[in-house]
Every structure is written in structure tokens, then in C-alpha cells.
Amino acid sequence: MGASMSMLKGANLPVAAPAVRVELGWRSAPGAPDVDASALLLVSGKVRSDADFVFYNQPSHASGAVHHEGKRTGADGVTDTLTVDLGRVEPAVERIVLAASADGGGFGQVRGLHVRVLDAAAGTEIARYDSQDATVETAFVLGELYRRQGSWKFRAVGQGYSSGLAGLATDFGISVDEPRHATAAAPAVPAVSPAPASATATPASAPTPVRLSKVTLTKDAPTVSLAKQGGTSGTMRVNLNWQVRKQFKGWAAKLGRAVAVQGDLDLDLCALYELTDGRKGVVQALGNAFGALGQPPYIHLDGDDRTGAVSSGENLTINLDHKDRLRRVVIFVTIYEGARSFADLDATVTLQPQHGAAIDFSLGECTVPSTVCSLALITNTGSDLVVQREARFLVPERGVSPQRTVDYAYGWGMNWTPGRK
């Protein structure tokens, strides 16, 4: 399929697909700001409550219609993706605004900014709009999905804001919690319309203003307190996303070398845990040790994703309501099959507390023949859980399993027997 024509600002197209993927794309460059995608569900031009805002700290709409899937880095640049199941959008919602915000600079520094709407099932492109004229703006409405006489359409908008995501969100009726003054305490002003309480609370029903802050852990600043981020209750989702470097595949083929990537790559997200009562164990797909949320170890692996690069990667959930029972947790990833090491992968880890700011980091470059990498260490300090970026690529000794390698590196002291899935 050739490159499609970019729409002109203000132009619209019909959207016949029942569900779409909205890909915000750009080319990353040194010194250029990072970009984030978000969606606002509007009734009469405004959100009904803060729950109608879908973005990195609130990744799913309560209706199930809109999800923030997250970022991927590929040979062509970076994409941040939203999925919209148009059939599940509540009848009251007239428009879904598709926005971009820049973190650490203006959109004038961002090259190749565009939005694509794809048929979620077929993967074919329905519409594309390229932003050409950005300067100092720090937020952009790139396009919108809207209803017209019972059918959905997409309009290219291209409207910039100089007040960032906070300004854009506030314009559409969102109450924003300023990140510098964010505390775990409840605000004095009640939220617009809190959703009714349910047994399984979702981010959408949180009665606090929306937090726009997120934390990126680095080598120089590797730790963060969950309490400071508001992540003290509910669940925390740990997501691993990866992409095989395309240029690596091509380079290996040119040299006639055996390519390290053979077919589908299967990465396994795992966790070693130690509870405050001294019990230790592992949560992993091997041996179907998927764990449990409501009982020890309060950690659950959401199945085994063999495809990483086309879905939302591997997910593991931790129950923060029982955080006092956790002494320490090491989250790690092993290559089950499909590659000889992490050297040819770009991987990103996101920890998303239900009621707090997202914590993310990249694993960086792997320069050793590693088949297991510790991602994060979560430690109970007695009053709080602290998340530490590890990004340690480990090389198992001959005959030593990846799991046992992590055990040795962190002094867990467990007995291991071979397992399979």
C-alpha cells in the first residue's frame, strides 16, 4: 500500500469501520519533546466529568469504548495509539476529540507529527492528517470523530494550544490537579459528577481532579515513591511493550548472518515476590503460576502474550490494597523464544497505579548476550512502596535458568525445578 494523501485542515471523511485505531505519530530527535495522545468524549462541546478524558494516567473509558494503548518505537518513528470501539460509544457522546500534548518543548520542534485513523480489524488506513504549521504550541487537537445523521465521520482539525495538556483539558471542562501541588489528600471541591461506587473501582470513578503528571525514571533518577504519586490503593498495572529493531533485521540479512530474531518473539513478564510473613515465590506463565489478586501473593499475570509487537504487550497487576503484605518484588522479563538476546529489542516499561501518575522508563540498549532482564524492584519501606528502575540485563551461566539467575542477582534464596508452559 502506498502512502496516502494527507487531509486538508477542516476536511472530513466517513468512517464505516465499527472500531478504529487512532495512531498519533512523529519522529523522535535529540532535544525534541516527547508527545502523548489523549481523547476527550464530549456532550454539547464539554466532558460530562473528568471520567470522559482518556490519556496515560486514565487509560480506559468506563464505557469500554476508548482505550489508550501506549507508545511504540519503530524504524519509522514513534506512535502513541488510542483504540475506539464506535459501537460502544454512549449515545449521548457526540464527539471524540483526538489530541496531542508535548512534554518538554513546543510542537515546532516535533518532526513529522500526524494522526492516522485505521480500521481496527483490517489495519487499513481510513484517514490521515499531517500537522504542518506548528510553532510554540504545547498541545494540539489534531482531529475528531463525530456523529452525523447516525454515522461516524473524521474531521482534520489542527488547532493548537500554548497552555499544554492542562490548558486543552481545562477548555473542555476537565478539572486538573496541578502536578506541583498534587497530594494524596482529597480536594476541597467535589468533582464534577462522581461515578457511582462499584465493587471494582476503575480510574474513571476517582473523585479527585485528573493528574497530568507522570514520572519517567532514568539512570540518574531511578526511584519514585508510590505514595507521592497517589498510588496508595487499588491496583497497579505493569506493562511491558517491545518492538524488534527493523534495521537490525535488515543489517543481519545483508551480512548473510543468522538473524537473531526467528519468527514470533515470545517474552515472558515475571515477578519474584517476598511477603512480610516470609513466604517467597514466583509469578510466571511457566507452570501456570499466574498468581492471584485477592489472596497471596496479591500479584497476577494477565495471561501469556506471544505477540508483543501487535498487541498491548505483557501485563501484570499488583493489588496495592494489600501493599503492607508485600516486602519486596522484582519484576523481570525472560526471552522464552524468538531471539538470542535483548540486543535487538526496544522495550518500554509502564507502571500505572489506578489512582496515581504513570511511571515509565525504557530499558535502554543491551550490549551483552542477555536472555533475562530485571525491570523494576519494588520495596516496602514500612510506610510506602518505592519503585526503582533496574533495567539490568543479566547473562545466565551455562545450565542456569533465567529465573534462578534473577534469584542469585537479588539474593532471593529459592529452590528451583525445571518448568514448562
Side-chain angles (χ1 to χ4, degrees):
M1 234 173 62
S4 63
M5 289 252 306
S6 179
M7 296 170 70
L8 295 172
K9 200 183 280 196
N12 63 71
L13 285 169
V15 176
V20 294
R21 280 171 64 83
V22 179
E23 286 187 359
L24 184 74
W26 68 97
R27 289 193 298 278
S28 59
D34 192 22
V35 178
D36 293 292
S38 56
L40 297 108
L41 289 77
L42 306 185
V43 177
S44 306
K46 295 275 184 191
V47 296
R48 294 163 295 182
S49 79
D50 296 348
D52 285 338
F53 185 29
V54 176
F55 70 121
Y56 48 79
N57 278 353
Q58 193 164 272
S60 296
H61 191 261
S63 65
V66 185
H67 294 276
H68 177 250
E69 297 287 332
K71 290 182 192 169
R72 305 196 156 279
T73 305
D76 308 327
V78 188
T79 56
D80 197 5
T81 301
L82 297 152
T83 54
V84 184
D85 183 340
L86 295 168
R88 292 178 75 173
V89 178
E90 299 144 305
V93 174
E94 297 148 4
R95 284 198 291 153
I96 300 171
V97 165
L98 307 166
S101 53
D103 188 14
F107 273 110
Q109 299 164 266
V110 177
R111 298 282 164 262
L113 179 69
H114 64 273
V115 62
R116 297 169 72 214
V117 179
L118 309 167
D119 181 321
T124 48
E125 185 175 286
I126 298 167
R128 177 184 176 119
Y129 170 65
D130 290 79
S131 167
Q132 308 277 356
D133 47 6
T135 54
V136 297
E137 298 88 350
T138 48
F140 249 98
V141 172
L142 288 169
E144 61 183 17
L145 293 160
Y146 65 100
R147 293 186 204 261
R148 183 66 81 243
Q149 292 163 346
S151 300
W152 284 95
K153 301 188 91 170
F154 171 78
R155 179 186 288 119
V157 178
Q159 180 188 353
Y161 291 74
S162 56
S163 47
L165 187 58
L168 179 144
T170 308
D171 260 26
F172 287 109
I174 301 281
S175 53
V176 170
D177 185 6
E178 289 306 315
R180 289 289 157 262
H181 313 298
T183 64
V189 186
V192 190
S193 62
S198 67
T200 54
T202 64
S205 62
T208 49
V210 171
R211 276 172 197 266
L212 301 185
S213 57
K214 65 174 172 172
V215 178
T216 299
L217 300 181
T218 61
K219 258 186 203 156
D220 300 327
T223 61
V224 64
S225 143
L226 273 186
K228 283 187 184 151
Q229 292 311 115
T232 51
S233 63
T235 56
M236 177 165 71
R237 196 172 76 129
V238 182
N239 170 263
L240 175 74
N241 239 315
W242 67 87
Q243 189 98 18
V244 175
R245 294 200 185 118
K246 287 192 183 126
Q247 61 268 39
F248 174 85
K249 281 183 174 175
W251 166 81
K254 270 185 200 150
L255 290 176
R257 300 267 287 275
V259 182
V261 181
Q262 305 118 9
D264 283 343
L265 181 64
D266 184 8
L267 296 189
D268 281 349
L269 193 58
C270 316
L272 276 181
Y273 62 84
E274 182 182 357
L275 303 180
T276 47
D277 63 10
R279 280 186 285 175
K280 296 174 181 178
V282 65
V283 174
Q284 59 179 5
L286 273 178
N288 293 323
F290 288 103
L293 272 188
Q295 60 194 57
Y298 311 109
I299 300 167
H300 183 250
L301 181 63
D302 310 355
D304 181 26
D305 178 6
R306 302 289 175 103
T307 55
V310 291
S311 68
S312 57
E314 289 256 312
N315 293 293
L316 184 133
T317 308
I318 299 173
N319 188 342
L320 297 179
D321 290 336
H322 293 281
K323 63 184 181 298
D324 298 342
R325 307 282 294 276
L326 299 171
R327 183 172 286 159
R328 57 182 184 146
V329 179
V330 171
I331 296 162
F332 64 100
V333 59
T334 68
I335 298 176
Y336 189 70
E337 60 187 5
R340 292 206 192 98
S341 88
F342 287 104
D344 41 310
L345 302 181
D346 284 313
T348 307
V349 180
T350 306
L351 295 93
Q352 175 66 66
Q354 190 169 326
H355 302 301
I359 300 159
D360 63 19
F361 57 90
S362 68
L363 291 189
E365 193 149 355
C366 173
T367 54
V368 292
S370 166
T371 52
V372 58
C373 177
S374 63
L375 306 178
L377 175 64
I378 301 171
T379 311
N380 189 337
T381 63
S383 57
D384 187 15
L385 289 183
V386 169
V387 177
Q388 178 162 316
R389 174 190 186 268
E390 292 290 297
R392 277 174 71 183
F393 295 104
L394 303 170
V395 183
E397 291 177 15
R398 186 179 288 277
V400 178
S401 71
Q403 291 83 349
R404 195 178 298 200
T405 302
V406 177
D407 181 325
Y408 290 168
Y410 288 88
W412 229 260
M414 281 170 44
N415 294 315
W416 295 91
T417 52
R420 56 185 307 166
K421 59 177 184 180

